[in-house]
Amino acid sequence: MKRILLVLALAAAAFAGCIGDEPLPSGGEVKERMAEATGDLESYSFEIDMDQTVEFRNFEGEGSQEGEMILLRWAGAINLTDQSSTEVSTSRRTTLAGDKTAEETVEVYFLNKTLYQKMGDEWIGLLQPDPQYGIEKIDQLAHLMEMIERAEIVGEGTEKAGSGSQELYRLKVIPDDDTAYGVMLGQISSVDPRIPLMIDMNGLFERGAEFDWTVWVSKDTGLPTESRISTVYTAGPGILRMPPESPGTLEIRFETLEVRRFGGYNEPVVVLLPEEARAAPVLLPDLPEGEDISSF
């Protein structure tokens, strides 16, 4: 009898625990909370890591290559209140054979309606008549939310953030066709803007694309912490636009992992220009006839 009572007590306790568990919200509910949480931010920081590999298979002849690996590391911070930002990006391209490597670093600051950018060893400034438009171009969080707003969101569960105690919602993102096509075009064009001209992009989208997208969102704040897009595009016979006499075994394969991390929400962001940038010449935009630059 005691054993039966003990089993019943344990079952009751377990059942009570299930009733007390917080149910997982739907993907749509998390999306609504994200939109609300990001709607009144003052500032944030971001990091973008993009690793790409492009392979040219069975291409032969003078000047042909097997492919290359492209690494992009991009970090920045944005003050949405005074419309200022700072960002540094480094890209490195290495042939698959490992015999050639090229690296480039770009620094960009936006402050007092002026965009400052380092071009090689020189700095240049460009006055932006519309600072809101200037900041929108580099507002990575806004870009993410625009894509998510058009997507279907499916909740996959919760998990801890690394070794910390922050609990996250893990969401599967199923983008609309326009967004998915735009991601494909952007990733392939970043390898070389001429490559899309060699490919039936509609055919590639329909028959040669693999797309997986996951977003993590803070359970406490509703703010996104990470977005991870993994894609593979394979352009082969029937998709590559090649001369009729070309071998039928030609293939270009693109594999990309794009990770965006967000944090530093509402923390102070003070943009300080390097001394060389402060001394840079500032170019004025082309204005409609009769419009005075002093009005900006």
Side-chain angles (χ1 to χ4, degrees), residues 72-75 86-91 103-109 116-120 123:
L72 172 67
R73 302 293 180 260
W74 182 7
T86 174
E87 52 186 315
V88 178
S89 64
T90 300
S91 61
E103 187 168 312
E104 180 182 33
T105 298
V106 177
E107 292 182 59
V108 179
Y109 299 84
Y116 298 88
Q117 181 170 341
K118 189 175 184 180
M119 309 287 290
W123 283 91

Side-chain angles (χ1 to χ4, degrees), residues 22 33 158 166-169 217-223:
E22 181 181 350
R33 191 176 174 206
T158 60
Q166 185 181 21
E167 193 166 3
L168 307 174
Y169 294 122
V217 178
S218 169
K219 182 178 178 180
D220 291 335
T221 65
L223 292 167

Side-chain angles (χ1 to χ4, degrees), residues 13-292:
F15 183 67
C18 290
I19 292 177
D21 287 345
E22 181 181 350
L24 183 68
S26 68
E29 290 172 331
V30 178
K31 178 163 65 169
E32 290 179 4
R33 191 176 174 206
M34 290 173 66
E36 181 179 352
T38 58
D40 56 358
L41 285 176
E42 296 179 359
S43 62
Y44 70 91
S45 58
F46 67 88
E47 295 178 356
I48 299 176
D49 293 343
M50 187 164 71
D51 295 1
Q52 291 183 293
T53 300
V54 55
E55 296 180 71
F56 300 95
R57 296 174 173 174
N58 302 315
F59 283 76
E60 298 177 355
E62 185 177 353
S64 63
Q65 61 177 1
E66 295 179 356
E68 61 181 338
M69 295 177 292
I70 305 163
L71 305 180
L72 172 67
R73 302 293 180 260
W74 182 7
I78 296 180
N79 187 324
L80 297 168
T81 302
D82 68 6
Q83 297 177 326
S84 61
S85 66
T86 174
E87 52 186 315
V88 178
S89 64
T90 300
S91 61
R92 185 171 72 248
R93 306 174 76 104
T94 305
T95 59
L96 291 183
D99 56 344
K100 294 181 181 179
T101 297
E103 187 168 312
E104 180 182 33
T105 298
V106 177
E107 292 182 59
V108 179
Y109 299 84
F110 189 71
L111 184 66
N112 297 329
K113 299 183 180 181
T114 305
L115 182 74
Y116 298 88
Q117 181 170 341
K118 189 175 184 180
M119 309 287 290
D121 294 328
E122 302 295 328
W123 283 91
I124 193 168
L126 178 62
L127 186 64
Q128 303 284 306
D130 184 356
Q132 180 63 35
Y133 174 72
I135 207 69
E136 283 177 356
K137 292 191 295 184
I138 54 177
D139 190 347
Q140 297 298 318
L141 183 60
H143 297 166
L144 174 70
M145 292 305 300
E146 287 173 7
M147 294 191 294
I148 287 178
E149 180 60 31
R150 300 190 297 266
E152 178 185 351
I153 306 296
V154 179
E156 292 191 322
T158 60
E159 57 188 59
K160 298 292 186 179
S163 59
S165 59
Q166 185 181 21
E167 193 166 3
L168 307 174
Y169 294 122
R170 186 180 69 251
L171 309 172
K172 181 177 180 61
V173 183
I174 305 172
D176 66 305
D177 285 350
D178 288 344
T179 297
Y181 186 93
V183 170
M184 178 186 73
L185 180 59
Q187 290 182 348
I188 292 176
S189 297
S190 69
V191 174
D192 188 321
R194 298 169 297 180
I195 289 182
L197 301 177
M198 302 168 56
I199 298 173
D200 174 2
M201 296 298 287
N202 289 327
L204 180 62
F205 184 68
E206 294 171 0
R207 306 192 301 275
E210 300 174 31
F211 194 110
D212 184 72
W213 186 2
T214 304
V215 170
W216 286 265
V217 178
S218 169
K219 182 178 178 180
D220 291 335
T221 65
L223 292 167
T225 62
E226 184 173 316
S227 166
R228 183 177 292 259
I229 298 177
S230 176
T231 62
V232 177
Y233 305 111
T234 304
I239 297 179
L240 277 178
R241 289 173 171 160
M242 303 300 292
E245 64 274 12
S246 300
T249 56
L250 299 182
E251 183 177 274
I252 306 178
R253 185 179 188 273
F254 309 87
E255 184 171 357
T256 303
L257 176 60
E258 181 179 319
V259 180
R260 298 170 183 256
R261 301 181 182 90
F262 299 92
Y265 289 114
N266 291 327
E267 295 180 1
V269 172
V270 179
V271 178
L272 299 175
L273 291 177
E275 183 176 347
E276 298 87 346
R278 290 198 298 270
V282 177
L283 304 179
L284 304 181
D286 293 330
L287 299 176
E289 186 175 352
E291 192 164 358
D292 188 355

